[in-house]
């Protein structure tokens, strides 16, 4: 039997605890209404060192990143990098993946002299000019 370090010290057989840990991404004590979240040592006890432990560590890291104040994800969908920036200030952010510098507030390409709210209308006007205005300008 394995005794978890929760307030009530709930006990489970290793096989039952392993099945529980393997079934959920962020395991808690299987006892109904117990809020104890299993720690890395509990996962090692249940499953040993292996792929499930690595998944658990990755989930805990993601949870910590998600809770960071001022956390900004790279706008490049192929990149999983995170940058921390002051959420009270708009700033230019560069990611090591090489994506173009972007705005910390709206994650659009960085716009030094223009507010985030003004970007969409300006982009729409630019696209409109590209699709028809440019040919009119050049007299085509």
């Amino acid at each position: 039997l394995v005794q978890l370090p929760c307030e009530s010290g709930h006990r489970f057989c290793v096989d039952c605890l392993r099945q529980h840990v393997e079934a959920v991404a962020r395991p808690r004590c299987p006892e109904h209404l117990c809020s104890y979240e299993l720690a890395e040592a509990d996962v090692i006890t249940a499953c040993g060192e292996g792929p499930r432990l690595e998944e658990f560590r990755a989930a805990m890291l993601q949870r910590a990143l998600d809770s960071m104040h001022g956390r900004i994800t790279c706008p490049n969908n192929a990149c999983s990098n995170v940058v921390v920036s002051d959420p009270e200030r708009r700033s230019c952010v560069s990611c090591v993946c090489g994506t173009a510098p972007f705005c910390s507030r709206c994650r659009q390409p960085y716009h030094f002299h223009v507010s985030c709210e003004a970007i969409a209308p300006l982009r729409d006007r630019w696209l409109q000019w590209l699709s028809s205005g440019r040919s009119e300008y050049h007299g085509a």
Side-chain angles (χ1 to χ4, degrees), residues 2-140:
V2 174
Q3 183 172 358
L4 294 177
C6 53
E7 285 185 24
S8 300
H10 296 122
R11 298 166 66 154
F12 303 93
C13 73
V14 175
D15 287 338
C16 292
L17 188 59
R18 181 177 59 252
Q19 288 176 9
H20 174 70
V21 169
E22 290 176 349
V24 294
R26 294 193 322 222
R28 296 179 176 270
C29 175
E31 184 64 36
H32 183 66
L33 299 179
C34 183
S35 62
Y36 173 73
E37 293 186 25
L38 271 62
E40 185 172 316
D42 303 320
V43 174
I44 292 171
T45 299
C47 301
E49 306 242 358
R52 180 59 185 111
L53 179 60
E54 292 307 313
E55 291 169 2
F56 177 81
R57 287 175 175 160
M60 293 298 104
L61 174 60
Q62 188 62 50
R63 181 180 187 186
L65 290 173
D66 290 346
S67 69
M68 291 177 75
H69 185 67
R71 172 189 181 273
I72 304 166
T73 57
C74 178
N76 178 354
N77 290 335
C79 178
S80 61
N81 289 331
V82 174
V83 182
V84 178
S85 179
D86 180 358
E88 304 302 318
R89 287 186 40 232
R90 181 171 60 101
S91 59
C92 180
V93 178
S94 296
C95 181
V96 296
C97 76
T99 198
F102 59 95
C103 174
S104 62
R105 280 220 178 111
C106 66
R107 296 178 54 229
Q108 296 298 313
Y110 188 65
H111 43 94
F112 180 73
H113 294 291
V114 180
S115 70
C116 296
E117 295 76 23
I119 287 298
L122 284 173
R123 184 172 291 120
D124 291 343
R125 283 180 45 205
W126 172 249
L127 292 174
Q128 177 63 31
W129 186 83
L130 286 176
S131 65
S132 61
R134 182 170 37 182
S135 61
E136 292 173 14
Y137 176 79
H138 289 294

